[in-house]
Amino acid sequence: MSKNNTNNEPLIHISKRDVLPWHKAWGVRALAILAALVVCAIVSVALTGDNPISIYKTIFVGAFGTARKTWVTLQSVSILLIISLALTPAYKMRFWNIGGEGQVLVGALATAACMIVIGDKVPNGVLILIMVVSSIGAGAVWGLIPAIFKAKWNTNETLATLMMNYIATQLVAYYTVVWEVPKGSGKIGIINQQTNAGWLPQLGNKYLLSIVVALIITVALYIYLKYSKHGYEVTVVGESERTAQYVGMKVNKIIIRTMLLSGALCGVAGLLLVGGINHTVTTTIANGQGFTAVMVSWLAKFNPITMIFTSFLIIFLERGAGEISTVFGLNHSFSDILTGIILFFIIGCEFFISYKVSFRKKEKEAK
Amino acid sequence: MSKKDAAVELRNITKTFGSVVANENVNLEIYKGEILALLGENGSGKTTLMNMLSGIYFPDSGEISIDGEPVVIKNPRDAFRLGIGMVHQHFKLIDVLTATENIILGLDGKLNIKEATAKIREICDKYGFEVDPNQKIYDMSVSQKQTVEIVKVLFRGAEILILDEPTAVLTPQETEKLFKVLRAMRDDGKAIVIITHKMHEVESLSDRVAVLRHGEYIGDMETKETNAQEMTNMMVGHAVTLNIERPEPVDPKPRIVVKNLTVKNEEGIVKLDDVSFTANSGEILGIAGISGCGQKELLEAIAGLQKAETGSIEYIRSDGSVESLIGKDPLEIADMGVTLSFVPEDRLGMGLVGNMDLADNMMLRSFRRGKSMFTDRKAPAKLAKSVVEELDVVTPNISTPVRRLSGGNVQKILVGREISSSPKVLLTAYAVRGLDINSSYTIYDLINRQKKKGVAVVFVGEDLDVLLQISDRILVLCGGKVSGIVDGRTADKNQVGLMMTKVGGEKNE
């Protein structure tokens, strides 16, 4: 045995940790955010020469600078939160639903359809009831189709849900042409601007409705997943389908039922977007949140309560980033860089929570 | 240490995983021309220690010397270069390649199949392996695959051979063949380490035994100067009795009647072929057979998890009325009031959910109870507590995820839950696989207690010695067919072994 290839001990040694107590785990996360801010500051100075402290201030101002900004931030958080909550039961079941985007879109389209087609034919109360039912139904159907394919023929749900997104986008594009106002403008415009038919009622101010709905769904889903028999079944199917069969659970039924729920909750987000916030529908109304929600849900480790914080974090960064690009005259890609750095640190620190990294002391011994 | 040369010396080896200490200051020598049996209960750190030698883990501290030279083994490649080869419990072979292709896989240098084949033949002749270098792995029996693994290690020039529970999947005849080869290798001057739980194998094969307990090295002794009882006491740390009880059957009456059962698996291959038998109440029916001979399908068909092609499975109630179980799923069977418990082979993949805690696992079967849409958490928590207490489960508390427990404790939880419903039928598959002696005897005792209560027990086992000691009758399966049913009290081990390899057991080649 030659000596030179046997005496180089590995320098870094990685070993699995025991479960960290929660306060230490949160300490690691806080350190990660701090480190992220430092790195962002260095990058900002290097690339733009602007004062990082004032950039951070601007991020905060962007999210909370005025009462209106604060409300808009909270409203955006609530929509993202609803979509994230919607995807959570599916992910807990290890059903890779990346079709949140499409499920929100068809919910939005169904809402808009009700407002346009029967907006002036039925009393407002009835109209809103129909909107609620049809948007939830549309989202549920969009979730149901891939679930049936999965249950009956074991097709890959990732592809199926993804494809359903495109179908939904094209459907909205088609109806945009059908319903465009004025003709040739390529958009639907504000629906029922004079009559306000089908506009969801306001609670106090126009932002509060989505926030209240989001909080109700959060609590309800938390209880559903943690304490109900359905929630228990979802967890078991997600952990091991064979175990589920072994105790007599009907796995296909559970998959279909859970995807109905997942799609239906996405439909609620579509309802709020059209009926409560935008009063119109476009192909980009979901704005990629169906995908962002995947990250929100995973970051929160599928815990609905934690999801309030993770969705808040994402929206806060997004709104702040928008602000710095206008205030400092930087292009929007720069704020994306900062968001990227911060997310990298937050996601990366989970590694240090599960693993311990120790450096070996170099032992200098005479050979 | 005078007359023999130490091939390997381990000095003060320590390895921890999180807060779990797997090995603590272990000192061990492995000599050339000797077969060393490494003994210890589950979780005593045998496999971890050997994994450090073969480069899978890296020790936290301590020193390894090969032939007197201190070395550092960072990865399996280093281990190979130092002449250390390990045959793992789970084979690492590629099914669609031939034996030769598998053996030279990952080697540096030019690929020369012909030369390699010649060298493999040479190794086989030298030690008496029976292996066809051009045979594909998927065509091989378990014992042939194991042979390929051993040849692979030798082909790479291993002088130090480590085998992790090599006999768990072999018939007595195959085991004897393996031992012959190992003895030939020892006589050739190789150092051999074997990890096993079977005491009679230790006695018949090894020259020396070394014992680990709770990660610490307890001591070593010459095999011929000790006996099973002493070794077991050393492993466990106190005296234990090594007899399996076999009470007389209590009022045996037919409980499960299987007739002409034929089952195909997902690929359409016949796994059970015209199987008929009766399992009586108050009796243990042992099922013997080489692994993969239809044991799994048989139990799953009774439990309602496996579709049957033809045949019938009937459950006979105490009052004599008959229920057909065929075509029913586990829930329908339970709804009929048939209490059937099943301890499957795959504990964490089927019987339990590894990421859920003890209490949540307890309610897997019972969570539907009650009309409320919410689960009742109190009863399962109570059950978990009583199982932990009665079966001496070692766990920090009942809200620990099951996967963090050791193999024996996982099995206690599973068996504890399954018998908590006071079953009429208890199906167990490899109930003590991977369990140490202490846990094994706890499980045997639990099964016997069920038998005394009048439960019809179907016990699929792999250790023939145990099957012969615990079963009232033994059904031998061979390639999905019933090879015969013998009386457990009078059956002979060799006879059963032959029946496992040939229907009826007669030799007519």
Side-chain angles (χ1 to χ4, degrees):
Chain A
M1 308 298 129
S2 59
K3 255 200 162 173
N4 53 359
N5 63 18
T6 55
N7 257 337
N8 41 0
E9 282 200 30
L11 185 65
I12 299 173
H13 185 60
I14 295 167
S15 51
K16 195 147 174 55
R17 266 187 211 275
D18 207 28
V19 181
L20 269 190
W22 66 269
H23 55 93
K24 276 196 181 165
W26 282 102
V28 171
R29 291 186 186 114
L31 273 179
I33 291 179
L34 210 67
L37 292 179
V38 171
V39 173
C40 283
I42 295 168
V43 170
S44 309
V45 172
L47 291 183
T48 66
D50 289 316
N51 180 357
I53 303 291
S54 56
I55 289 184
Y56 293 152
K57 245 189 222 152
T58 312
I59 291 181
F60 193 80
V61 169
F64 296 112
T66 63
R68 199 192 77 87
K69 277 184 174 159
T70 308
W71 280 115
V72 172
T73 300
L74 291 180
Q75 185 185 48
S76 310
V77 169
S78 63
I79 294 294
L80 180 61
L81 178 59
I82 292 172
I83 305 175
S84 312
L85 291 166
L87 299 185
T88 300
Y91 281 111
K92 258 210 126 160
M93 197 175 64
R94 299 285 184 272
F95 185 103
W96 310 120
N97 178 14
I98 54 169
E101 195 81 359
Q103 289 149 23
V104 173
L105 261 184
V106 291
L109 183 63
T111 313
C114 295
M115 290 164 76
I116 292 167
V117 177
I118 53 171
D120 46 5
K121 296 192 182 88
V122 294
N124 207 30
V126 179
L127 173 64
I128 288 176
L129 195 70
I130 296 173
M131 280 160 56
V132 170
V133 172
S134 53
S135 62
I136 290 178
V141 167
W142 234 244
L144 176 70
I145 294 170
I148 289 179
F149 275 49
K150 168 88 173 179
K152 294 268 182 234
W153 300 289
N154 198 26
T155 54
N156 183 318
E157 74 273 16
T158 318
L159 284 176
T161 49
L162 185 66
M163 291 305 152
M164 296 295 285
N165 288 342
Y166 297 114
I167 299 174
T169 310
Q170 296 309 318
L171 269 180
V172 175
Y174 174 79
Y175 281 105
T176 305
V177 176
V178 172
W179 291 326
E180 65 186 350
V181 178
K183 282 290 166 205
S185 65
K187 30 180 210 206
I188 291 177
I190 303 297
I191 303 166
N192 302 343
Q193 196 153 18
Q194 274 83 43
T195 59
N196 286 5
W199 290 30
L200 295 177
Q202 296 185 1
L203 299 174
N205 67 36
K206 60 180 178 172
Y207 306 104
L208 210 53
L209 178 68
S210 336
I211 298 169
V212 170
V213 172
L215 288 178
I216 292 172
I217 296 179
T218 307
V219 173
L221 196 74
Y222 178 78
I223 294 171
Y224 177 80
L225 288 176
K226 198 154 189 239
Y227 297 106
S228 80
K229 289 176 181 172
H230 284 189
Y232 183 74
E233 287 180 329
V234 166
T235 312
V236 174
V237 170
E239 293 287 345
S240 163
E241 277 191 27
R242 275 166 52 79
T243 306
Q245 281 158 357
Y246 161 82
V247 294
M249 291 182 191
K250 306 262 193 289
V251 174
N252 287 343
K253 195 180 110 190
I254 295 167
I255 290 179
I256 288 173
R257 184 182 73 204
T258 307
M259 275 309 288
L260 273 174
L261 174 69
S262 190
L265 288 177
C266 280
V268 172
L271 171 74
L272 290 169
L273 278 172
V274 173
I277 299 169
N278 295 313
H279 305 123
T280 185
V281 67
T282 65
T283 51
T284 54
I285 196 168
N287 194 22
Q289 292 190 92
F291 297 107
T292 313
V294 176
M295 183 164 71
V296 172
S297 182
W298 275 82
L299 265 179
K301 303 209 171 84
F302 310 132
N303 181 331
I305 307 294
T306 321
M307 242 165 263
I308 298 174
F309 299 100
T310 51
S311 55
F312 172 80
L313 175 79
I314 302 281
I315 293 292
F316 173 75
L317 287 174
E318 212 169 78
R319 308 240 330 135
E323 185 80 3
I324 50 174
S325 55
T326 41
V327 170
F328 290 86
L330 299 169
N331 98 26
H332 206 279
S333 310
F334 180 73
S335 43
D336 285 346
I337 293 177
L338 295 191
T339 313
I341 292 173
I342 293 173
L343 285 178
F344 176 83
F345 273 85
I346 290 170
I347 296 169
C349 81
E350 297 297 322
F351 173 84
F352 294 94
I353 290 171
S354 332
Y355 294 93
K356 187 168 75 185
V357 177
S358 40
F359 292 92
R360 246 160 223 288
K361 284 172 210 106
K362 276 186 195 152
E363 289 161 66
K364 296 255 189 255
E365 283 168 39
K367 308 243 162 87
Chain B
M1 270 164 267
S2 51
K3 58 182 181 10
K4 289 177 289 186
D5 294 329
V8 180
E9 272 178 85
L10 301 173
R11 288 272 161 267
N12 300 319
I13 298 285
T14 298
K15 176 77 189 172
T16 57
F17 297 100
S19 64
V20 181
V21 181
N23 286 127
E24 196 172 6
N25 286 324
V26 174
N27 290 295
L28 181 71
E29 285 101 33
I30 303 168
Y31 298 112
K32 290 178 183 166
E34 183 188 78
I35 297 177
L36 172 73
L38 193 55
L39 299 179
E41 293 193 279
N42 291 119
S44 62
K46 304 172 302 262
T47 305
T48 306
L49 188 65
M50 289 302 117
N51 276 338
M52 281 190 272
L53 207 48
S54 59
I56 290 171
Y57 295 141
F58 193 82
D60 294 339
S61 66
E63 219 172 78
I64 302 175
S65 308
I66 307 281
D67 295 328
E69 292 264 353
V71 295
V72 173
I73 305 170
K74 273 186 304 189
N75 49 43
R77 214 167 253 274
D78 285 353
F80 269 130
R81 204 168 40 228
L82 295 165
I84 301 166
M86 182 155 172
V87 176
H88 295 269
Q89 237 172 321
H90 305 283
F91 303 143
K92 300 173 189 320
L93 298 170
I94 295 169
D95 271 352
V96 293
L97 298 184
T98 64
T100 308
E101 287 164 340
N102 264 290
I103 287 167
I104 60 176
L105 200 67
L107 288 182
D108 295 330
K110 239 171 91 188
L111 202 68
N112 188 336
I113 300 249
K114 246 186 209 155
E115 227 171 74
T117 309
K119 197 175 160 196
I120 290 167
R121 288 235 158 82
E122 196 183 302
I123 293 173
C124 292
D125 291 344
K126 187 169 171 192
Y127 298 109
F129 291 113
E130 287 164 23
V131 95
D132 173 5
N134 298 320
Q135 196 178 2
K136 303 261 191 204
I137 300 298
Y138 59 74
D139 276 336
M140 294 186 175
S141 69
V142 182
S143 98
Q144 282 172 312
K145 286 181 194 170
Q146 187 182 56
T147 312
V148 174
E149 284 280 12
I150 298 173
V151 174
K152 179 163 93 184
V153 167
L154 291 174
F155 184 90
R156 295 171 186 214
E159 289 298 319
I160 300 147
L161 218 79
I162 305 160
L163 298 111
D164 193 356
E165 298 204 36
T167 60
V169 290
L170 303 181
T171 63
Q173 284 80 6
E174 288 167 337
T175 303
E176 208 30 65
K177 219 191 279 174
L178 170 70
F179 285 0
K180 217 175 270 171
V181 172
L182 292 181
R183 289 191 192 104
M185 294 196 307
R186 169 192 63 195
D187 297 339
D188 193 41
K190 301 211 183 297
I192 294 167
V193 181
I194 171 168
I195 300 177
T196 177
H197 286 301
K198 299 181 189 169
M199 282 303 161
H200 58 98
E201 292 180 0
V202 175
E203 288 178 315
S204 75
L205 179 71
S206 69
D207 302 301
R208 193 165 59 98
V209 293
V211 179
L212 291 183
R213 186 165 76 223
H214 303 313
E216 286 176 55
Y217 176 72
I218 300 300
D220 69 337
M221 49 208 166
E222 298 287 322
T223 308
K224 51 180 183 289
E225 284 162 17
T226 180
N227 55 47
Q229 188 67 52
E230 191 188 357
M231 289 188 276
T232 310
N233 293 351
M234 215 164 145
M235 272 161 60
V236 179
H238 55 83
V240 286
T241 43
L242 283 186
N243 289 316
I244 304 177
E245 196 193 354
R246 176 160 46 195
E248 284 300 316
V250 198
D251 185 24
K253 281 195 193 119
R255 168 97 10 111
I256 293 276
V257 179
V258 175
K259 277 187 199 140
N260 310 104
L261 182 69
T262 298
V263 166
K264 282 183 187 165
N265 71 359
E266 276 171 15
E267 285 90 45
I269 296 163
V270 176
K271 295 303 281 187
L272 285 177
D273 190 357
D274 200 21
V275 168
S276 302
F277 67 93
T278 302
N280 295 325
S281 62
E283 190 188 82
I284 295 181
L285 175 70
I287 310 267
I290 303 165
S291 65
C293 270
Q295 298 94 323
K296 176 170 161 264
E297 287 77 10
L298 180 61
L299 295 192
E300 290 189 359
I302 298 174
L305 293 165
Q306 172 78 50
K307 212 175 111 254
E309 298 293 315
T310 55
S312 70
I313 302 171
E314 280 168 349
Y315 172 84
I316 300 169
R317 290 186 195 278
S318 320
D319 62 11
S321 59
V322 177
E323 300 273 8
S324 172
L325 298 187
I326 215 134
K328 302 221 163 60
D329 69 27
L331 198 55
E332 287 164 340
I333 292 176
D335 286 346
M336 283 172 3
V338 176
T339 40
L340 192 144
S341 287
F342 179 22
V343 178
E345 175 180 356
D346 188 359
R347 289 160 209 162
L348 288 179
M350 187 162 179
L352 300 167
V353 177
N355 282 329
M356 293 205 307
D357 67 20
L358 269 61
D360 277 6
N361 268 294
M362 284 298 158
M363 58 193 236
L364 266 171
R365 286 228 188 250
S366 61
F367 78 98
R368 292 185 195 86
R369 253 177 234 160
K371 285 215 175 84
S372 154
M373 72 170 281
F374 295 106
T375 49
D376 168 21
R377 303 262 155 177
K378 284 194 192 119
K382 224 169 111 190
L383 176 60
K385 273 195 194 115
S386 74
V387 168
V388 166
E389 250 166 57
E390 278 168 35
L391 306 185
D392 289 323
V393 177
V394 181
T395 172
N397 50 54
I398 60 161
S399 47
T400 306
V402 171
R403 78 185 141 79
R404 292 165 63 94
L405 305 185
S406 73
N409 289 311
V410 167
Q411 186 69 327
K412 284 180 192 169
I413 296 288
L414 177 53
V415 174
R417 185 192 71 208
E418 288 302 297
I419 60 181
S420 69
S421 59
S422 330
K424 293 284 183 196
V425 179
L426 174 63
L427 311 171
T428 67
Y430 307 112
V432 299
R433 176 179 282 177
L435 264 56
D436 57 57
I437 297 214
N438 240 350
S439 314
S440 297
Y441 279 79
T442 312
I443 300 292
Y444 298 143
D445 186 45
L446 284 173
I447 291 173
N448 264 324
R449 267 195 261 164
Q450 294 300 307
K451 169 184 166 180
K452 282 188 229 168
K453 279 190 194 164
V455 176
V457 180
V458 180
F459 180 90
V460 172
E462 51 197 346
D463 189 335
L464 274 187
D465 294 284
V466 171
L467 271 171
L468 287 165
Q469 282 180 67
I470 200 169
S471 314
D472 296 296
R473 289 181 304 138
I474 300 173
L475 172 106
V476 188
L477 281 176
C478 171
K481 288 195 173 78
V482 175
S483 190
I485 299 179
V486 295
D487 188 318
R489 286 176 176 74
T490 56
D492 163 74
K493 187 175 165 189
N494 276 323
Q495 175 206 353
V496 175
L498 283 173
M499 286 166 73
M500 281 162 67
T501 48
K502 192 155 283 168
V503 173
E506 68 273 10
K507 288 185 215 172
N508 48 354
E509 288 201 29

